[in-house]
Amino acid sequence: MVMKQDLIAEEKERLGREGEEVAREWLKQEGYLILPASLIEVGKAPALEGQSNRIILPDTLTWKQKQAGWVEIKTKSHATLHLKPPKRWEHGLPLHHWEAYFKIQEETGIPVSLAIIEIETGLLLIEQINNLKVNKRGFYMEGNPHIFLARDDFQWFTIDLTIPRPIQPVAKRTIHQGIAPK
């Protein structure tokens, strides 16, 4: 018997893969060469592995004008409005993911950027994590530490989005608050 949680997880995974493809196409249109690390099949998430540690790779490795960069791609329905100071539109992710991006950057010497596909606005938001850490906000969601990043700290690009429908929220805190401004 298929559980509702399994269907939600499968749908989120499918939308995440579609968002990665949209972002990769945008990167190529912007003149980047790409290596889609998330598509490397090794039976688990592709990672840098050492004697005593394993660090999961960001989704894509890019090159442009002899400069390499990692890009982690997230697909979200929309930003959420944080009503307490600092009142702002933002996107969140688990703290352990955030920490892994910095570890990859430290180990490889290659800067990491975070790209977010917003389905409802048709925008791609992208910025280097070093620039995002200044205004980050920590918060526990359902007992797990998360980082929330100000939407205005990203560069915004309108994209040709063919992802058919939004991701249904699963966090109790997430309610439909309207669409963030373009």
Side-chain angles (χ1 to χ4, degrees):
M1 183 167 143
V2 179
M3 303 293 288
K4 184 177 180 180
Q5 296 92 334
D6 293 336
L7 292 174
I8 292 170
E10 286 176 19
E11 180 70 1
K12 286 179 73 173
E13 185 177 325
R14 183 188 64 76
L15 286 170
R17 283 191 312 268
E18 289 179 18
E20 287 176 16
E21 190 55 39
V22 167
R24 287 183 182 125
E25 287 303 314
W26 179 85
L27 287 164
K28 288 190 276 186
Q29 289 172 8
E30 292 296 309
Y32 289 90
L33 298 172
I34 66 163
L35 172 65
S38 67
L39 298 181
I40 298 170
E41 294 195 24
V42 292
K44 50 189 168 187
L48 290 180
E49 296 184 21
Q51 182 70 27
S52 61
N53 62 350
R54 183 174 192 279
I55 311 165
I56 294 179
L57 294 173
D59 297 314
T60 303
L61 184 58
T62 67
W63 291 270
K64 187 175 183 179
Q65 299 173 348
K66 299 184 182 184
Q67 297 293 312
W70 291 108
V71 180
E72 174 62 22
I73 304 161
K74 300 291 185 193
T75 305
K76 309 271 187 169
S77 291
H78 58 275
T80 56
L81 181 60
H82 181 65
L83 296 173
K84 296 179 182 174
K87 185 176 180 179
R88 66 188 191 184
W89 290 96
E90 55 187 24
H91 286 287
L93 60 140
L95 177 62
H96 69 276
H97 290 185
W98 178 252
E99 291 171 340
Y101 308 150
F102 278 96
K103 186 68 174 168
I104 283 288
Q105 185 172 265
E106 177 186 319
E107 291 293 330
T108 65
I110 299 171
V112 175
S113 293
L114 179 62
I116 298 174
I117 301 287
E118 286 186 348
I119 296 172
E120 291 182 359
T121 62
L123 294 175
L124 178 140
L125 313 178
I126 190 165
E127 190 58 64
Q128 286 190 6
I129 59 172
N130 288 341
N131 298 334
L132 294 171
K133 69 182 179 181
V134 175
N135 292 319
K136 73 178 178 7
R137 178 180 70 81
F139 186 76
Y140 278 81
M141 279 183 39
E142 299 177 357
N144 297 313
H146 281 65
I147 293 297
F148 290 86
L149 305 167
R151 188 173 181 262
D152 286 340
D153 288 349
F154 288 83
Q155 298 176 58
W156 301 6
F157 299 92
T158 302
I159 54 174
D160 181 20
L161 194 59
T162 56
I163 297 174
R165 60 192 168 278
I167 302 164
Q168 295 305 310
V170 292
K172 292 177 185 173
R173 151 186 193 282
T174 306
I175 57 171
H176 189 68
Q177 303 166 329
I179 298 173
K182 277 192 169 186

